[in-house]
Structures are given as structure tokens and as C-alpha cells.
């Protein structure tokens, strides 16, 4: 009886033991890792405000597509995560930089909610120097006006940043359509370069700003100009829109996220 009792106790002890695999750890149910899908950003409605002169208005666009602004809209709308693009175009032919502040104040509500602000300004300021000093033009006169232009630009950028600290501000530089109209100023290319350099220097002092240089696009390219030999034609505006879009796409995190 004692022998059978020990056998009974030994059997009970063996039944309570867990058989371990070769690795020394108990078997566990098969585990499957479940990866949660990455959350996609919600579709965004982009608001663009275009300020400036005749280039923003689209003068010279024989196709009637609204110049660079009208061509920029579908490029932005095709971006992933963009649902709609709405535009306020406040461009007007003949506008100079000293006439831009009232326009900004008149469109303050639109600027407050803008994600992108584009500006073309300066071409008429250059032409004003030509008209005012046609018979005594000099590089120095352009350089002096360039400095005054930069000071006004700085004031306008400060105003825009006060209205909207987050929008991307895109300033499109000047190009030279004057090679045939200003033969007595052979340094006109240098004038445009200096004007753009001064503008870019002002822009660099403010966050979330982009300077788009287009001077090289129009160099020796009369085929990109309207018959007035001043404004871009449809092909010129097409190239402008693409370059502006490329600059914006390189900083997409500033406006599309």
C-alpha cells in the first residue's frame, strides 16, 4: 500500500509540470503583429493671394488663362492633400511699390487666411526711372532707386508679417525686357541683377519667404514676350508658373501640411 501511495503522489506531481521545449521556455500561442495604417493628412483648402502689377494681372496672356496666377492654380490643386485652391488676384497694370500698401490693407481679411502670397512688383519702378530721366539715364540713378525700393519692400513685408505670420510669401524677381528699348544703358542687365539682389536680401530677413529669379528665363528670349515687348506672352507665363510652382513644391511643408 505504501508503494502504490508513492506512485500516486508521483503521478500527481508529474501532471502539474509543464513540458518545456528545447529552448527552455514554455510554448505560447502564435502572435501576429498588426500594423496600424499611417494616418494621411486631411485634405486642405489652399488660399492664395496674388499682389502686384500687370504680371499678376496677366497682361499679355493671349490665351486668356490669367497669366502665371491662372496657370499656378491647377499645379497646386494637383498636389496630394490639396482639396481646393481659391485665389484673390489683386494685380493691376502700372502699379508701383509705393501704391501697394493700400492694396494690402484693403485685402487684409483675405491675407489673414492666406497660405500663399505671391508678389510681382518693381518693373514699373524701373520704367519710372526711365521716364523721369530719359535724357540723362545712368547706372547710379537706377542704383539709388533700387535702394529706395528695398526700403519700401522691407516696410511691406513687415506689414504682411503683422497681418499673417505664417503664410509663404513669394516674391517674383524682375527680368530684362529693355534690351531694345534702352540701348543707351548697356548696363541694364546689371541694373536688374542688382535690383533683384537687393530685393532678395530684404526677403531673407523674414521667415517663410521665397525669392523666385526669372531673369535667366527671359534672357535673349523675345519669343516669350508679348508684342508690346514688355509683358510675357502665354508661353512666358507658362514658364513663370512652373518655376514658381517648383519653388513652392520644394517648401511644401510650409503651406500644404
Amino acid at each position: 500500500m505504501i508503494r502504490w501511495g508513492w506512485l500516486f503522489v508521483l503521478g500527481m506531481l508529474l501532471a502539474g509540470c509543464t513540458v518545456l521545449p528545447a529552448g527552455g521556455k514554455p510554448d505560447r500561442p502564435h502572435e501576429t503583429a498588426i500594423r496600424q495604417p499611417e494616418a494621411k493628412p486631411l485634405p486642405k483648402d489652399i488660399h492664395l493671394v496674388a499682389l502686384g502689377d500687370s504680371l499678376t494681372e496677366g497682361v499679355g496672356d493671349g490665351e486668356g488663362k490669367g497669366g502665371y496666377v491662372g496657370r499656378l492654380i491647377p499645379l497646386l490643386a494637383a498636389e496630394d492633400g490639396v482639396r481646393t485652391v481659391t485665389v484673390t488676384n489683386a494685380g493691376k497694370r502700372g502699379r508701383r511699390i509705393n501704391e501697394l500698401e493700400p492694396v494690402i490693407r484693403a485685402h487684409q481679411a483675405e491675407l489673414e487666411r492666406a497660405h500663399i502670397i505671391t508678389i510681382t512688383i518693381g518693373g514699373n519702378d524701373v520704367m519710372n526711372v526711365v521716364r523721369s530721366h530719359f535724357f540723362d539715364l545712368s547706372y547710379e540713378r537706377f542704383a539709388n532707386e533700387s535702394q529706395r525700393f528695398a526700403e519700401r519692400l522691407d516696410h511691406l513685408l513687415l506689414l504682411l508679417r503683422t497681418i499673417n505670420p505664417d503664410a509663404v510669401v513669394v516674391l517674383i524677381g524682375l527680368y530684362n525686357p529693355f534690351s531694345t528699348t534702352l540701348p543707351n544703358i548697356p548696363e541694364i542687365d546689371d541694373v536688374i541683377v542688382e535690383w533683384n539682389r537687393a530685393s532678395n536680401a530684404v526677403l531673407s530677413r523674414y521667415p517663410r519667404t521665397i525669392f523666385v529669379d526669372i531673369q535667366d528665363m527671359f534672357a535673349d528670349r523675345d519669343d516669350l514676350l508679348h508684342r508690346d515687348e514688355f509683358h510675357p506672352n502665354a508661353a512666358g507665363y507658362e514658364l513663370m508658373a512652373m518655376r514658381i510652382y517648383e519653388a513652392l513644391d520644394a517648401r511644401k511643408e510650409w503651406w500644404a501640411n
Side-chain angles (χ1 to χ4, degrees):
M1 288 294 295
I2 295 175
R3 181 180 179 185
W4 285 107
W6 279 108
L7 291 174
F8 177 78
V9 172
L10 181 60
M12 291 295 292
L13 290 173
L14 291 174
C17 295
T18 301
V19 179
L20 299 179
K25 295 182 180 179
D27 289 328
R28 295 181 179 178
H30 180 67
E31 296 180 355
T32 302
I34 300 176
R35 184 183 297 274
Q36 295 293 332
E38 295 182 2
K40 293 184 177 180
L42 295 174
K44 189 170 184 178
D45 298 314
I46 299 297
H47 302 286
L48 186 152
V49 177
L51 303 170
D53 50 27
S54 54
L55 270 66
T56 292
E57 186 180 351
V59 174
D61 183 359
E63 295 180 357
K65 293 183 178 180
Y68 82 84
V69 178
R71 289 167 168 79
L72 186 59
I73 295 171
L75 296 173
L76 296 176
E79 286 281 350
D80 291 338
V82 174
R83 179 168 49 197
T84 62
V85 178
T86 58
V87 175
T88 299
N89 191 324
K92 184 178 180 181
R93 186 172 192 163
R95 182 173 287 148
R96 302 202 305 268
I97 194 167
N98 62 353
E99 301 169 307
L100 200 52
E101 182 173 347
V103 180
I104 292 174
R105 296 192 182 280
H107 292 87
Q108 182 167 334
E110 295 94 331
L111 287 165
E112 285 176 351
R113 65 191 187 104
H115 298 95
I116 301 170
I117 302 168
T118 64
I119 307 172
T120 61
I121 201 73
N124 294 302
D125 295 88
V126 174
M127 285 302 299
N128 188 55
V129 177
V130 175
R131 296 188 188 100
S132 302
H133 306 281
F134 188 78
F135 295 105
D136 59 344
L137 282 173
S138 66
Y139 182 88
E140 287 72 21
R141 291 194 184 280
F142 286 106
N144 292 336
E145 185 59 31
S146 171
Q147 182 59 39
R148 286 190 286 269
F149 180 89
E151 292 170 359
R152 296 185 183 108
L153 179 63
D154 186 53
H155 173 73
L156 293 177
L157 286 170
L158 181 59
L159 176 60
L160 286 173
R161 275 291 165 253
T162 302
I163 295 172
N164 187 330
D166 300 319
V168 181
V169 178
V170 181
L171 177 65
I172 296 96
L174 303 182
Y175 61 93
N176 177 20
F178 309 111
S179 57
T180 58
T181 57
L182 298 180
N184 55 330
I185 301 293
E187 305 95 341
I188 190 63
D189 280 326
D190 295 333
V191 168
I192 300 300
V193 168
E194 173 57 26
W195 206 288
N196 285 336
R197 186 206 63 76
S199 298
N200 194 14
V202 173
L203 212 66
S204 66
R205 298 199 289 266
Y206 293 86
R208 302 169 76 87
T209 58
I210 300 173
F211 181 82
V212 178
D213 193 347
I214 61 172
Q215 185 178 12
D216 64 301
M217 286 171 33
F218 289 93
D220 301 318
R221 290 292 306 272
D222 292 343
D223 60 308
L224 296 179
L225 295 179
H226 184 57
R227 59 179 175 269
D228 63 7
E229 297 183 342
F230 185 83
H231 297 95
N233 57 21
Y237 280 122
E238 189 74 38
L239 291 179
M240 281 181 63
M242 182 57 66
R243 182 161 291 187
I244 296 166
Y245 165 72
E246 289 171 351
L248 282 167
D249 193 52
R251 293 290 184 267
K252 189 177 178 181
E253 70 277 6
W254 287 355
W255 55 273
N257 295 331

